[in-house]
Amino acid sequence: MSRFFSEKYSNLEAYTPGEQPKDMQYVKLNTNESPFPPTEKVIMSAMDAARKLQLYCDPECTVLRKTFADTFGIDEDQVLFTNGSDDALNFAFMAFCDESHPAAFPDITYGFYPVFAELNHVPYEEIPLNEDFTINVDDYCGINKTIFIANPNAPTGIALSMEKIKKILESNPDNVVVIDEAYIGFGPGSAIKLINEYDNLLVTQTFSKSWSLAGGRLGMAIGNRELIRDLNTLKYSTNPYNVNTMTQAAGTASLLCRDEFEKNRRTIMVNRLFLIVKLRRMGFTVTDSVANFVFSKHPDISGEELYLKLKERGVLIRHFTKERIKDYNRITVGTIEQVNILLDKIGEILEEAK
């Protein structure tokens, strides 16, 4: 860092994104992107919007917000659109956490949570998952902290039921509970249906996964209008034009092409089951993922070695170095062709390891 970098960030450990290598063509199963491109209608909508790039984008995302509200049965002032869901999560740490309201989240979860806490000088607690990587709901009851839970969790893919989420909400009435639903498109029902019942619930989602718009950077926060008003205050104090014109158009068109995205979503879920079954037959331990990825380890090869050997063979998966999960890898569910290439390469590697 330079000699000018503020001391207040001297201990900040930045989030490490998944690899985006340029050295060769990979079967890319490391960053949980959709293997399916946007529809032609989405692409054309973004292209048409590009004709107006000399003008600022609509800071209120008026058309997109109305389309989303109509699609999901909420009011327009109950949703805020952001530059990816990371933007919404950062706003939540800024708005609802401080010395009197520390943050709490699992010890194994989305790696950006501790970064946002450190960035915003928020004290936080990392609550250990159970041995099987499930969340012990009782650990979150009545803790007087702002709670962040990825549901399904990352990188495990394991989800909490609505009843357990309700228990957390009801036991922390004076604290905001953020349910990060980046992968909800491949799992159980969304907590959006609870926002009128619990004024302390904030749901975040993204168009990066099931909506095939990772490169568009579109996320959202959904909650009661007072919470959304709080987040809007921060948005208009930092970057009012945070969702560009083309992304707004692409997001709106995606919502209007919902049937086509539903087909892709179901295909990924079928491929996920196929991958889990095949990996378990090969001797892998695999969590019960309901996301668009699986989390697995094998007794005969370390997570790092499998990751490196697959990379040598042109297949990228995600390896984590954290002690508790260093033997595991997270594998994005791709097309059936990509899944079969992955399985063939793993078979070769395991055969060599004998």
Side-chain angles (χ1 to χ4, degrees), residues 44-87:
M44 293 305 299
S45 295
M47 290 177 64
D48 287 343
R51 303 177 195 280
K52 299 179 181 178
L53 286 182
Q54 79 276 15
L55 304 175
Y56 281 111
C57 54
D58 174 11
E60 296 182 3
C61 301
T62 306
V63 176
L64 176 59
R65 204 153 43 91
K66 183 180 188 314
T67 306
F68 186 89
D70 290 345
T71 301
F72 290 96
I74 63 173
D75 294 333
E76 292 176 41
D77 56 1
Q78 292 179 308
V79 59
L80 166 73
F81 283 93
T82 54
N83 194 317
S85 60
D86 292 335
D87 205 17

Side-chain angles (χ1 to χ4, degrees), residues 138-190:
D138 291 339
D139 290 340
Y140 295 84
C141 290
I143 60 174
N144 194 34
K145 292 179 171 69
T146 303
I147 296 168
F148 293 82
I149 291 178
N151 197 52
N153 196 13
T156 67
I158 299 171
L160 282 179
S161 68
M162 271 317 112
E163 290 307 310
K164 290 182 177 180
I165 290 173
K166 286 181 180 181
K167 184 175 181 180
I168 294 171
L169 287 162
E170 290 169 1
S171 68
N172 294 280
D174 298 321
N175 296 88
V176 172
V177 176
V178 179
I179 303 298
D180 176 1
E181 294 186 339
Y183 302 100
I184 201 65
F186 310 98
S190 171

Side-chain angles (χ1 to χ4, degrees), residues 82-330:
T82 54
N83 194 317
S85 60
D86 292 335
D87 205 17
L89 290 166
N90 189 32
F91 285 157
F93 273 90
M94 293 170 67
F96 309 122
C97 301
D98 53 33
E99 289 290 336
S100 301
H101 303 87
F105 41 82
D107 64 332
I108 305 298
T109 191
Y110 184 32
F112 233 137
Y113 298 161
V115 177
F116 285 141
E118 295 285 355
L119 181 68
N120 293 294
H121 305 289
V122 170
Y124 64 94
E125 177 185 6
E126 294 181 293
I127 300 175
L129 295 176
N130 295 324
E131 279 300 308
D132 62 357
F133 296 130
T134 57
I135 288 175
N136 182 354
V137 173
D138 291 339
D139 290 340
Y140 295 84
C141 290
I143 60 174
N144 194 34
K145 292 179 171 69
T146 303
I147 296 168
F148 293 82
I149 291 178
N151 197 52
N153 196 13
T156 67
I158 299 171
L160 282 179
S161 68
M162 271 317 112
E163 290 307 310
K164 290 182 177 180
I165 290 173
K166 286 181 180 181
K167 184 175 181 180
I168 294 171
L169 287 162
E170 290 169 1
S171 68
N172 294 280
D174 298 321
N175 296 88
V176 172
V177 176
V178 179
I179 303 298
D180 176 1
E181 294 186 339
Y183 302 100
I184 201 65
F186 310 98
S190 171
I192 288 177
K193 59 177 174 265
L194 303 179
I195 62 170
N196 291 320
E197 188 176 349
Y198 298 97
D199 66 355
N200 60 331
L201 169 64
L202 184 74
V203 178
T204 61
Q205 290 190 0
T206 179
F207 274 67
S208 294
K209 317 301 180 183
S210 58
W211 294 98
S212 299
L213 282 181
R217 311 309 305 128
L218 181 60
M220 53 277 197
I222 307 103
N224 75 70
R225 50 188 53 83
E226 286 77 19
L227 292 182
I228 298 303
R229 192 178 299 124
D230 294 339
L231 300 185
N232 260 310
T233 297
L234 295 174
K235 169 189 166 177
Y236 282 92
S237 300
T238 52
N239 182 12
Y241 304 106
N242 63 337
V243 181
N244 71 69
T245 299
M246 291 182 293
T247 293
Q248 289 186 40
T252 302
S254 296
L255 291 166
L256 298 175
C257 296
R258 194 174 180 186
D259 288 346
E260 294 180 58
F261 286 102
E262 178 68 17
K263 178 183 175 183
N264 291 340
R265 186 183 71 86
R266 287 196 301 266
T267 298
I268 291 170
M269 292 168 70
V270 169
N271 293 353
R272 178 184 68 203
L273 178 59
F274 175 80
L275 177 58
I276 289 173
V277 169
K278 290 289 188 180
L279 287 175
R280 285 175 175 166
R281 286 178 182 172
M282 298 170 84
F284 283 85
T285 297
V286 187
T287 60
D288 293 324
S289 173
V290 290
N292 68 332
F293 57 82
V294 301
F295 195 56
S296 64
K297 70 172 182 176
H298 196 280
D300 297 335
I301 188 168
S302 73
E304 182 179 21
E305 185 179 1
L306 180 60
Y307 153 72
L308 290 172
K309 287 186 176 298
L310 280 171
K311 187 175 181 179
E312 289 173 3
R313 289 165 168 81
V315 178
L316 279 182
I317 60 175
R318 185 75 186 266
H319 178 65
F320 298 90
T321 57
K322 200 166 187 175
E323 181 64 28
R324 195 173 171 192
I325 56 173
K326 66 181 182 180
D327 289 329
Y328 283 80
N329 287 301
R330 191 194 69 195

Side-chain angles (χ1 to χ4, degrees), residues 326-340:
K326 66 181 182 180
D327 289 329
Y328 283 80
N329 287 301
R330 191 194 69 195
I331 305 171
T332 304
V333 179
T335 64
I336 195 62
E337 292 80 13
Q338 290 175 321
V339 169
N340 279 321

